[in-house]
């Protein structure tokens, strides 16, 4: 849950100039961010961090601002088969937005592989950075 309106949170998930400010676990930095925000549009993120370079990319399946964003996801050096479907739902109540993310892996083995990674820690650290960014929101509703 984030202390910001859904349009701001949705924007933070879709605007490259904002994504580079929060996306990634501690020590990781988004150095390339391409977003073609339309159904069928492609996205591509390149991050640098302690583990080296990570490239992830996909295609948008649903773009319904500020309520829902769904896309496919693949990694350049992926350790499991198939593309993942990622679905974000943004639900606002009294100026606070809950983001519910559902990941659907191509196979149970792929899901199990990812569950062995420190993904929960990384997402938590990333969302802490997002909360800090949203906290900087001015009274105009724009992120500086």
């Amino acid at each position: 849950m984030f202390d910001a309106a859904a349009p701001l949170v949705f924007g933070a998930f879709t605007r490259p100039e904002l994504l580079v400010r929060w996306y990634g676990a501690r020590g990781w930095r988004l150095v390339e961010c391409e977003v073609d925000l339309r159904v069928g549009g492609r996205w591509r993120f390149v991050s640098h961090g302690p583990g080296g370079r990570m490239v992830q990319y996909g295609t948008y399946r649903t773009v319904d601002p500020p309520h829902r964003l769904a896309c496919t996801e693949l990694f350049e050096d992926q350790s499991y088969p198939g593309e993942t479907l990622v679905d974000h739902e943004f639900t606002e109540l009294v100026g606070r937005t809950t983001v519910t993310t559902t990941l659907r892996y191509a196979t149970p083995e792929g899901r199990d592989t990812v569950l062995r990674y420190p993904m929960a820690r990384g997402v938590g650290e990333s969302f802490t950075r997002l909360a800090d960014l949203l906290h900087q929101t001015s009274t105009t509703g724009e992120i500086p």
Side-chain angles (χ1 to χ4, degrees):
M1 182 176 291
F2 298 98
D3 286 324
L8 289 172
V9 180
F10 187 91
F13 273 73
T14 57
R15 292 172 43 196
E17 70 273 16
L18 299 178
L19 281 159
V20 298
R21 294 174 62 186
W22 71 269
Y23 191 88
R26 188 179 1 208
W28 286 86
R29 188 169 45 95
L30 192 57
V31 295
E32 292 180 40
C33 182
E34 300 168 15
V35 173
D36 180 8
L37 191 61
R38 62 183 174 85
V39 173
R42 306 220 9 109
W43 65 274
R44 182 175 179 270
F45 297 168
V46 178
S47 300
H48 289 172
R53 179 176 182 261
M54 179 175 65
V55 179
Q56 58 195 121
Y57 57 93
T59 303
Y60 290 106
R61 296 272 180 94
T62 303
V63 179
D64 180 19
H67 309 289
R68 189 165 171 233
L69 182 66
C71 62
T72 61
E73 179 184 67
L74 288 160
F75 288 84
E76 193 171 77
D77 295 323
Q78 189 156 304
S79 61
Y80 52 92
E83 64 184 12
T84 302
L85 298 178
V86 180
D87 191 342
H88 303 289
E89 289 187 33
F90 304 83
T91 307
E92 182 181 341
L93 181 62
V94 194
R96 298 181 82 190
T97 301
T98 299
V99 179
T100 304
T101 301
T102 304
L103 302 170
R104 179 166 291 185
Y105 294 91
T107 66
E109 295 79 20
R111 178 204 58 218
D112 294 345
T113 297
V114 172
L115 287 173
R116 288 190 293 272
Y117 296 152
M119 187 173 77
R121 177 189 53 81
V123 170
E125 291 171 1
S126 192
F127 280 0
T128 296
R129 292 172 62 190
L130 174 57
D132 292 344
L133 176 63
L134 292 169
H135 182 71
Q136 298 172 21
T137 304
S138 69
T139 56
T140 64
E142 287 296 316
I143 298 174

